[in-house]
Amino acid sequence: MFLAIPAVLNEEQLATVRASLNSEQAPWVDGRVSAGHQGAQVKNNQQLEESSAMARELRDFVLTRLERHALFISAVLPNKVYPPMFNRYGEGMEFGTHVDGTVRTIPGSAQKLRTDLSATLFLSDPQNYEGGELVVESDFSCRTAKLAAGDMIVYSSTSRHRVNAVTRGRRLASVFWIQSLIRDDDRRAQLFELDGTIQRLTQRGADAESLVRLTAHYHGLLRAWAEI
Ligand code: NI
């Protein structure tokens, strides 16, 4: 999966988040505190101290937006969402090629989360920094994302990926992981397609009986495949 999810945050919400992150009180620490052994070798960025009051407030703010985002729910089918983290790349900072760890412990709890999907929510306007692209490798190609502020990219956590060096300006982003109800990428993609088709038919006024049958089919597959 490599999917752009637009408008997770609107201009006003972005302004709120940026005002906190750009304030003098923002507790930025070395990003290596949350990296695994391999990641720490190639990670050079800063992140908001995860246990700080500001980090808690901002991640709740982002989580609330995600819970209401229909495309996110349909495409990702979230089971558990890791509390969003916030990072900052100044000039010369980058995160070299790595893979995200498969299992993470949710901070402040004993709960574990399997990382099926990785998410990057872009918080800086792309014209305000050079470099800083997220590059995700798949079997046959590399895909690059440098999205508008407020937009988010979601990709399979099994992918090798990197963040190119920022050569001008500053790049703010929020990153987190999702354990999906549907572990398998292909099955999840099929459900997403089916859900989209049901919505399309609904908008076009398809007959009610067909819609009920198709919806029952969707839920039948979800019941068969979901891991809760
Ligand atoms: Ni990563």
Side-chain angles (χ1 to χ4, degrees), residues 104-119:
R104 300 196 76 103
T105 303
I106 294 178
S109 81
Q111 243 201 336
K112 299 259 195 298
L113 172 146
R114 185 188 64 236
T115 58
D116 295 323
L117 294 165
S118 302

Side-chain angles (χ1 to χ4, degrees), residues 183-215:
R183 180 199 299 237
D184 182 76
D185 257 17
D186 292 333
R187 287 179 172 179
R188 194 182 324 106
Q190 294 205 39
L191 286 169
F192 181 42
E193 180 65 23
L194 184 53
D195 188 32
T197 304
I198 293 168
Q199 286 178 35
R200 194 179 152 93
L201 289 171
T202 304
Q203 282 159 11
R204 295 185 168 210
D207 73 284
E209 173 61 19
S210 299
L211 286 172
V212 171
R213 287 188 189 192
L214 212 49
T215 304

Side-chain angles (χ1 to χ4, degrees), residues 4 20 23 28 31 37 40 43 65-66 76 86-88 94 124 137 144 150-151 153 160 176 208-210 222:
S20 293
S23 71
W28 294 105
H37 180 70
K43 190 174 189 183
R65 267 67 215 169
L66 288 173
V76 167
F86 296 84
N87 62 31
R88 179 168 83 169
E94 64 184 320
S124 296
E137 299 177 14
T144 298
D151 292 359
I153 195 89
R160 291 160 50 111
F176 56 97
E209 173 61 19
S210 299
L222 189 58

Side-chain angles (χ1 to χ4, degrees), residues 155-186:
Y155 58 97
S156 171
S157 295
T158 57
S159 311
R160 291 160 50 111
H161 57 277
R162 66 176 188 272
V163 175
N164 286 339
V166 169
T167 55
R168 177 186 64 83
R170 209 152 67 175
R171 176 196 193 267
L172 294 172
S174 176
V175 299
F176 56 97
W177 298 270
I178 302 120
Q179 180 174 328
S180 177
L181 292 166
I182 308 294
R183 180 199 299 237
D184 182 76
D185 257 17
D186 292 333

Side-chain angles (χ1 to χ4, degrees), residues 4-220:
I5 299 187
V8 172
L9 299 181
N10 63 26
E11 278 302 324
E12 192 188 338
Q13 293 157 350
L14 276 170
T16 303
V17 172
R18 283 189 199 133
S20 293
L21 294 179
N22 289 326
S23 71
E24 297 219 330
Q25 296 80 38
W28 294 105
V29 296
D30 189 320
R32 278 174 288 214
V33 293
S34 68
H37 180 70
Q38 188 266 327
Q41 317 287 313
V42 293
K43 190 174 189 183
N44 173 19
N45 68 1
Q46 295 173 307
Q47 71 188 38
L48 207 59
E49 169 60 62
E50 271 192 282
S51 60
S52 66
M54 184 184 290
R56 277 201 299 272
E57 194 178 307
L58 291 180
R59 69 193 180 217
D60 287 348
F61 187 79
V62 171
L63 281 172
T64 304
R65 267 67 215 169
L66 288 173
E67 283 162 11
R68 296 174 188 166
H69 200 293
L71 179 62
F72 172 74
I73 302 293
S74 176
V76 167
L77 292 168
N79 181 359
K80 297 180 201 168
V81 179
Y82 187 93
M85 303 194 301
F86 296 84
N87 62 31
R88 179 168 83 169
Y89 293 76
E91 282 179 21
M93 293 187 182
E94 64 184 320
F95 195 166
T97 301
H98 65 282
V99 287
D100 293 341
T102 306
V103 177
R104 300 196 76 103
T105 303
I106 294 178
S109 81
Q111 243 201 336
K112 299 259 195 298
L113 172 146
R114 185 188 64 236
T115 58
D116 295 323
L117 294 165
S118 302
T120 297
L121 170 59
F122 290 80
L123 299 173
S124 296
D125 283 320
Q127 63 269 28
N128 288 346
Y129 62 98
E130 297 284 347
E133 300 88 357
L134 170 69
V135 182
V136 178
E137 299 177 14
S138 65
D139 288 350
F140 305 109
S141 65
C142 276
R143 305 184 77 170
T144 298
K146 183 171 176 175
L147 303 185
D151 292 359
M152 184 168 83
I153 195 89
V154 177
Y155 58 97
S156 171
S157 295
T158 57
S159 311
R160 291 160 50 111
H161 57 277
R162 66 176 188 272
V163 175
N164 286 339
V166 169
T167 55
R168 177 186 64 83
R170 209 152 67 175
R171 176 196 193 267
L172 294 172
S174 176
V175 299
F176 56 97
W177 298 270
I178 302 120
Q179 180 174 328
S180 177
L181 292 166
I182 308 294
R183 180 199 299 237
D184 182 76
D185 257 17
D186 292 333
R187 287 179 172 179
R188 194 182 324 106
Q190 294 205 39
L191 286 169
F192 181 42
E193 180 65 23
L194 184 53
D195 188 32
T197 304
I198 293 168
Q199 286 178 35
R200 194 179 152 93
L201 289 171
T202 304
Q203 282 159 11
R204 295 185 168 210
D207 73 284
E209 173 61 19
S210 299
L211 286 172
V212 171
R213 287 188 189 192
L214 212 49
T215 304
H217 181 52
Y218 175 87
H219 285 286

